[in-house]
Amino acid sequence: MSLGYIIRRVLAILPMGVMLFSASHVLRAETIGSFDTLTQRQVEQSYYYDWNRNLKFNSAVQRLFVRSKVAQPEWVRHGSGPSAPAQVVRQDSVNWILLNTCKIHECGNNNLYILFNPPTRETYGVAKLNRKVVWLGKPNATQKALLSKASGYQ
């Protein structure tokens, strides 16, 4: 077998592998239903896309943008961009969910970090939208510090 033959075979099956990987992510997608039954493990195995499919979370993010007088980008509304797994972050006695997402192929200039409190639906965020950093929801000093640490924005 020649090296050229092997490369052609690998390239021929590569799209199938990508499709299987993508399908496996969809199959593993968490269903974010009732917030009060979520375990820390479930949260940490979920992504922004999973949360965005929950109407209560999605509405809270929409209200956050409206309240902040910032147009919500389509990529945020759809929540289909890349993201890291969600994290549980404790502030005083509150467990916040820290989530992030970004615009596909433009993450460096278009990204979003959200702090979400499931029981109260309190939501704060920081975003870089078209290279401009925007704070959402007037986070207090501690919330701003959590978002700054996650995003690197001051």
Side-chain angles (χ1 to χ4, degrees):
M1 261 186 258
S2 71
L3 181 58
Y5 173 78
I6 294 170
I7 290 173
R8 282 193 304 278
R9 292 296 299 155
V10 168
L11 292 176
I13 63 170
L14 186 59
M16 184 183 300
V18 171
M19 286 180 9
L20 289 174
F21 174 76
S22 298
S24 70
H25 175 70
V26 171
L27 293 175
R28 288 180 310 146
E30 290 291 320
T31 300
I32 307 297
S34 176
F35 297 135
D36 51 340
T37 61
L38 283 174
T39 65
Q40 183 167 343
R41 180 180 160 94
Q42 287 174 308
V43 169
E44 292 171 349
Q45 290 180 342
S46 65
Y47 294 82
Y48 186 88
Y49 172 78
D50 304 317
W51 286 83
N52 198 56
R53 294 184 306 162
N54 179 287
L55 289 176
K56 293 174 184 176
F57 174 80
N58 189 297
S59 295
V61 172
Q62 285 180 20
R63 283 191 309 277
L64 175 66
F65 276 88
V66 169
R67 209 170 68 231
S68 303
K69 296 179 172 71
V70 174
Q72 184 180 16
E74 281 296 309
W75 58 268
V76 172
R77 189 170 302 124
H78 295 296
S80 58
S83 66
Q87 298 175 30
V88 176
V89 181
R90 192 158 179 84
Q91 176 207 3
D92 301 325
S93 61
V94 178
N95 285 329
W96 293 90
I97 308 300
L98 176 65
L99 300 132
N100 75 327
T101 190
C102 67
K103 185 175 182 181
I104 297 172
H105 304 298
E106 295 182 38
C107 286
N109 295 317
N110 292 281
N111 52 59
L112 171 68
Y113 292 82
I114 293 284
L115 273 181
F116 180 66
N117 180 342
T120 65
R121 297 190 204 142
E122 213 176 337
T123 312
Y124 301 98
V126 63
K128 186 186 262 189
L129 304 173
N130 298 317
R131 300 181 183 185
K132 181 181 175 189
V133 175
V134 179
W135 290 93
L136 303 165
K138 299 181 183 175
N140 66 31
T142 308
Q143 294 157 343
K144 197 169 185 176
L146 291 171
L147 288 164
S148 288
K149 183 178 178 184
S151 66
Y153 305 140
Q154 299 301 317

